[in-house]
Amino acid sequence: MKPSIARKLDQLSSRLEELNALLASGDVTADIDNFRKLTREHADIDPVVALYRTYLQSERDAQTAQEMALDPQMRDFAEAEMRAAREHMARIESELQKSLLPKDPNDERNLFLEIRAGTGGDESALFAADLFRMYARYAERQRWRVEIVSASHSDLGGYKEIIARVSGEGVYSRLKFESGGHRVQRVPVTETQGRIHTSACTVAVMAEVDAVSDVVLNPAELRIDTFRASGAGGQHINKTDSAVRVTHLPSGIVVECQNDRSQHKNKAQALAILAARIKDQQVNAQQAKVAAERKLLVGSGDRSERIRTYNFPQGRVTDHRINLTLYKIAAIMDGDLDELLAALAAEHQAEQLAQLAEAT
């Protein structure tokens, strides 16, 4: 094991002891936010330290076997034990390297999913609806919860724009590479000549922020308007100004929410989406600064970047970032995204491991 990695693991072991002492103190729950932060850090560090202790035990076993090998009568047995211990150490070292990769602090957060129709008119709006169904079906398979926050319908039943909140375990970590341009090639339902058209949608996956700590919204920088909700919703919703539009004056970001009958709930939801968009904007700006210094193969998060093509006549889906083509478009559009998402995560991890090797 490289000395730099061993030092890092020793530091984590010491930090775990500190956390155990802090969490055992009687007044730790006085500050609930700090308590959550400490328990989250403990949950992250504990399995890494446990794995490191297993590595150290295997190291001791190898040393003991090496000493036993000095006895001619024990040599064969000792050499077998030494080989087993070293093979075990090699496997654990590989796992430890992966565990030391920088973690995305947003991985365990819920998210807001925004899908917007782009070029292609009505066909693009229908594709937006197909993409939303794809993600909703995937979420259903994961037992996540999907709540539509805002939706703007097209004439043919698609979506000009749809925003949904997705909540559950590991939501953002699974879907965070989906941001970007999604292109579809197929014969639209409106096409009478049977010609293949190309349309596009943009997908934005934004981690839900902690309103208290992540983004501070200055009331003086917000313009909040109420108006009468449009579309389906019953007589009550159409007779009251329950819909809310929030404008963030410094950035020009505008969020509308009208799906709930309660103006208060619509306002709270709009502010949550606004905070997520501002945070997402900050993250993208930060990524842009370091993009020239690293080869991040999986997703820059650029909304205009074409990341994937769905070709219906050929039955294939191609992710252009990792040059992966899967000939199972029907299954993918029905929410079978595991193979695709796993490949993106694996490519990202391989890039991180390469960076770790260079740094150490």
Side-chain angles (χ1 to χ4, degrees):
M1 179 181 291
K2 292 183 178 180
S4 58
I5 292 178
R7 283 195 300 272
K8 177 64 176 175
L9 291 166
D10 286 334
Q11 290 169 2
L12 288 178
S13 298
S14 298
R15 178 56 179 165
L16 184 63
E17 292 179 8
E18 292 176 11
L19 289 170
N20 286 333
L22 288 169
L23 291 171
S25 64
D27 57 350
V28 68
T29 55
D31 184 344
I32 194 66
D33 287 334
N34 187 54
F35 175 68
R36 287 173 181 161
K37 181 181 176 182
L38 292 175
T39 53
R40 191 179 301 169
E41 185 182 359
H42 187 278
D44 288 340
I45 293 177
D46 188 51
V48 181
V49 173
L51 196 60
Y52 182 44
R53 287 170 179 166
T54 302
Y55 175 89
L56 293 176
Q57 181 59 54
S58 294
E59 192 174 48
R60 288 191 291 270
D61 291 343
Q63 180 63 34
T64 301
Q66 190 173 15
E67 293 170 0
M68 288 171 56
L70 297 175
D71 182 348
Q73 294 182 340
M74 300 290 292
R75 184 171 299 154
D76 291 343
F77 172 77
E79 288 179 350
E81 288 292 299
M82 204 172 349
R83 282 194 301 271
R86 287 174 177 169
E87 288 173 3
H88 193 212
M89 286 168 61
R91 287 195 301 270
I92 296 175
E93 184 174 358
S94 176
E95 291 182 45
L96 282 169
Q97 284 188 353
K98 292 178 183 178
S99 71
L100 289 178
L101 294 178
K103 291 182 173 59
D104 188 333
N106 292 324
D107 272 352
E108 296 306 315
R109 293 182 185 270
N110 299 324
L111 62 83
F112 287 108
L113 171 69
E114 296 187 359
I115 303 174
R116 290 188 179 86
T119 55
D122 286 331
E123 166 62 7
S124 177
L126 289 172
F127 180 50
D130 291 338
L131 285 176
F132 176 69
R133 180 183 181 276
M134 178 183 77
Y135 292 122
R137 291 283 291 124
Y138 179 70
E140 183 182 331
R141 292 166 185 249
Q142 306 303 315
R143 297 187 177 181
W144 296 339
R145 184 180 179 187
V146 179
E147 308 163 78
I148 295 178
V149 174
S150 176
S152 174
H153 296 270
S154 69
D155 294 335
L156 295 182
Y159 291 115
K160 296 176 184 175
E161 175 188 274
I162 182 166
I163 303 173
R165 179 178 182 268
V166 186
S167 56
E169 185 177 349
V171 169
Y172 185 77
S173 66
R174 299 274 191 91
L175 295 180
K176 63 183 177 181
F177 300 125
E178 291 302 288
S179 291
H182 294 241
R183 185 177 66 169
V184 63
Q185 295 172 326
R186 65 184 177 187
V187 179
V189 293
T190 55
E191 170 60 55
T192 58
Q193 303 297 319
R195 292 172 298 187
I196 296 172
H197 288 229
T198 299
S199 302
C201 290
T202 56
V203 172
V205 175
M206 302 173 300
E208 187 177 43
V209 303
D210 292 335
V212 175
S213 60
D214 281 12
V215 175
V216 178
L217 297 176
N218 184 351
E221 297 177 344
L222 302 178
R223 187 175 72 240
I224 300 176
D225 303 306
T226 59
F227 58 98
R228 190 162 298 174
S230 60
Q235 293 181 342
H236 173 79
I237 199 169
N238 289 323
K239 287 183 178 180
T240 60
D241 290 342
S242 59
V244 174
R245 181 187 299 111
V246 179
T247 304
H248 185 243
L249 300 176
S251 65
I253 297 174
V254 180
V255 179
E256 291 184 4
C257 282
Q258 57 176 311
N259 275 35
D260 202 282
R261 295 189 178 194
S262 164
Q263 183 185 112
H264 177 74
K265 289 182 180 179
N266 282 330
K267 179 182 176 182
Q269 195 72 271
L271 289 173
I273 295 172
L274 176 62
R277 285 188 184 175
I278 292 173
K279 181 69 174 179
D280 191 54
Q281 199 175 67
Q282 293 171 351
V283 170
N284 285 335
Q286 186 180 15
Q287 286 179 342
K289 289 181 181 179
V290 300
E293 300 174 12
R294 61 177 177 154
K295 292 170 59 183
L296 182 57
L297 301 180
V298 183
S300 66
D302 183 356
R303 304 294 178 249
S304 63
E305 177 190 13
R306 187 193 71 191
I307 63 169
R308 193 174 298 149
T309 296
Y310 304 75
N311 187 302
F312 279 78
Q314 296 180 18
R316 62 175 170 83
V317 174
T318 299
D319 196 289
H320 304 289
R321 296 164 294 179
I322 55 176
N323 296 319
L324 173 67
T325 297
L326 300 175
Y327 288 88
K328 46 187 267 187
I329 194 167
I332 288 172
M333 297 309 295
D334 193 44
D336 183 6
L337 299 177
D338 285 329
E339 185 176 359
L340 190 55
L341 298 181
L344 288 164
E347 193 73 40
H348 179 53
Q349 187 180 79
E351 177 66 17
Q352 286 184 305
L353 284 169
Q355 291 173 358
L356 179 65
E358 291 175 4
T360 56

